[in-house]
Amino acid sequence: MIYLDYQATTPLAPEAREAMLPWLSGPEAMGFANPHSPHRPGRAAAAAVELARDQVAALLPPGGRVVFTGSATEALNLAILGCKPRRIAVSAIEHAAVLDTARASGAEVDRFDVDGEGLVAPNAAIPAGTDLVAVMQVNNEIGTVQPVAALAEAAHAAGALFLCDAVQGAGKLAPPAGADLIALSAHKLHGPKGVGALWIRDGIELAPLIHGGGQEGGLRSGTLSPALCVGFGAAAKLAATRREEDAAHVADLWLRARDRFAGWTLNGSAEARWHGNLNLHKPGLDVARLMSDLRDLAFSAGSACASGSGRPSHVLRALGLTDTAAKSSIRIGFGRYTLSRELEDACARIVAAAAAQGV
Ligand code: PLP
């Protein structure tokens, strides 16, 4: 099996797994202790959580605090609902965790369109009365890198807060400059599933979504999992250490893969892009058939989120693709642990299987 779905989730780093194990240990070692208990094993667990918090914070700008959540989806819900906005502006290509939460907030929602390259204009007009602007750093379906620093400045000039979904960029790119709220997910940066974080700029007050024991400074009640937090911290530390090496590896993989797809069209900008995302379309391609012909390749139809629903992806539609073109798109995602020969082999097989369809 060759894994090519790095935007859906990433392999757990062996270093993150090792760091987690003591916090999953049995009765004697007491790694299972509650990090909110005042006894010695509880304090040891709390110290491990705080170290992890610092490691995650090191991926983020200074001048804020990290609140652990159960996922980036939860972090985005906390950011959007917690600031009680009356008018929100979002990009048309945000993840459902932003689009659906904005809708559910009851606020008036405005959208920034993207151009044919999948980019929001850096000088997009922000409607009067907007109190929250949300634009992602790197799109999960097409990999485009948005001009978030300029948009954060524009949001502030309009009197709004700026929320950045940095799930696909964290640990790979510099943190989004100027953001007030930043959402992250451990499993997209080689950490475990089941833990995310919201970074909150100092001075910003949010209302909690989850009430109870008052953990996480009252913002997110519920007992933290030291194992998950520690795995997130270890993965964040590793990402920071390996950032240049990982980026160089991905750049090399991109060149090897892109060259194999002569006659296919790239979805989204080739330059303003995280190059571990190769989203392509080929007119007439039957993606379901392609995937069933290549069952030992784990790649995705256009978007993992949209692929199960049968609906064409809202991101590909926002680029201007017709429903048919969107449905003949595939996403190949690769990264740190992808070997160049397995990627080249997978790409050659995809191209051959598409040619066998006569497209
Ligand atoms: N935002 C983006 C851009 C994503 O790619 C994802 C996951 O697919 C999420 C948010 C949600 O992350 P989580 O799985 O941690 O809820």
Side-chain angles (χ1 to χ4, degrees), residues 1-6 8 257 260-261 264 278 280 285 287-302 307 330-334 338-354 357:
M1 193 78 194
I2 301 177
Y3 184 75
L4 296 171
D5 204 10
Y6 267 60
R260 301 236 160 209
F261 288 92
W264 295 57
L278 182 56
L280 299 154
L285 182 68
V287 173
R289 187 173 145 204
L290 187 74
M291 293 180 88
S292 109
D293 288 348
L294 299 168
R295 284 174 203 264
D296 58 337
L297 302 185
F299 64 105
S300 151
S307 59
I330 59 169
R331 184 184 69 185
I332 302 170
F334 40 86
T338 311
L339 303 176
S340 38
R341 66 171 158 69
E342 63 182 8
L343 180 60
E344 284 176 347
D345 174 44
C347 293
R349 290 180 53 210
I350 293 170
V351 169
Q357 290 185 12

Side-chain angles (χ1 to χ4, degrees), residues 236-301:
K237 182 177 171 201
L238 192 64
T241 322
R242 295 186 47 130
R243 200 169 115 190
E244 283 176 21
E245 191 187 335
D246 284 353
H249 178 55
V250 163
D252 175 61
L253 292 172
W254 164 267
L255 292 176
R256 289 168 189 270
R258 179 71 189 99
D259 280 358
R260 301 236 160 209
F261 288 92
W264 295 57
T265 307
L266 181 68
N267 293 326
S269 167
E271 290 81 35
R273 182 185 202 92
W274 170 249
H275 288 102
N277 176 318
L278 182 56
N279 190 318
L280 299 154
H281 80 265
K282 177 105 178 127
L285 182 68
D286 180 340
V287 173
R289 187 173 145 204
L290 187 74
M291 293 180 88
S292 109
D293 288 348
L294 299 168
R295 284 174 203 264
D296 58 337
L297 302 185
F299 64 105
S300 151

Side-chain angles (χ1 to χ4, degrees), residues 81-355:
L81 303 176
C83 71
K84 301 188 188 298
R86 280 155 304 165
R87 189 161 188 177
I88 310 180
V90 297
S91 88
I93 60 167
E94 292 303 296
H95 190 274
V98 168
L99 294 177
D100 290 1
T101 309
R103 211 173 294 132
S105 72
E108 189 174 345
V109 182
D110 301 285
R111 288 186 185 218
F112 303 128
D113 288 332
V114 293
D115 61 16
E117 297 273 274
L119 298 169
V120 179
N123 57 353
I126 297 173
T130 302
D131 25 42
L132 181 66
V133 174
V135 179
M136 67 205 323
Q137 186 179 28
V138 176
N139 181 266
N140 50 304
E141 294 193 32
I142 54 174
T144 49
V145 179
Q146 303 302 324
V148 287
L151 290 162
E153 224 173 276
H156 293 156
L161 294 177
F162 187 76
L163 163 64
C164 187
D165 170 350
V167 165
Q168 298 284 346
K172 302 185 179 97
L173 305 178
D180 302 296
L181 299 157
I182 304 174
L184 307 187
S185 183
H187 75 99
K188 308 286 184 170
L189 49 85
H190 305 289
K193 291 165 191 62
V195 61
L198 181 65
W199 177 87
I200 306 170
R201 184 179 292 288
D202 290 340
I204 294 175
E205 294 296 327
L206 295 178
L209 298 185
I210 299 175
H211 304 273
Q215 290 90 346
E216 295 299 88
L219 264 187
R220 203 271 186 175
S221 288
T223 304
L224 286 174
S225 161
L228 293 180
C229 296
V230 164
F232 192 178
K237 182 177 171 201
L238 192 64
T241 322
R242 295 186 47 130
R243 200 169 115 190
E244 283 176 21
E245 191 187 335
D246 284 353
H249 178 55
V250 163
D252 175 61
L253 292 172
W254 164 267
L255 292 176
R256 289 168 189 270
R258 179 71 189 99
D259 280 358
R260 301 236 160 209
F261 288 92
W264 295 57
T265 307
L266 181 68
N267 293 326
S269 167
E271 290 81 35
R273 182 185 202 92
W274 170 249
H275 288 102
N277 176 318
L278 182 56
N279 190 318
L280 299 154
H281 80 265
K282 177 105 178 127
L285 182 68
D286 180 340
V287 173
R289 187 173 145 204
L290 187 74
M291 293 180 88
S292 109
D293 288 348
L294 299 168
R295 284 174 203 264
D296 58 337
L297 302 185
F299 64 105
S300 151
S303 148
C305 319
S307 59
S309 67
R311 274 181 288 121
S313 138
H314 69 284
V315 175
L316 297 178
R317 297 281 287 114
L319 284 187
L321 267 68
T322 60
D323 282 4
T324 317
K327 283 186 172 168
S328 57
S329 296
I330 59 169
R331 184 184 69 185
I332 302 170
F334 40 86
R336 185 188 294 164
Y337 302 106
T338 311
L339 303 176
S340 38
R341 66 171 158 69
E342 63 182 8
L343 180 60
E344 284 176 347
D345 174 44
C347 293
R349 290 180 53 210
I350 293 170
V351 169

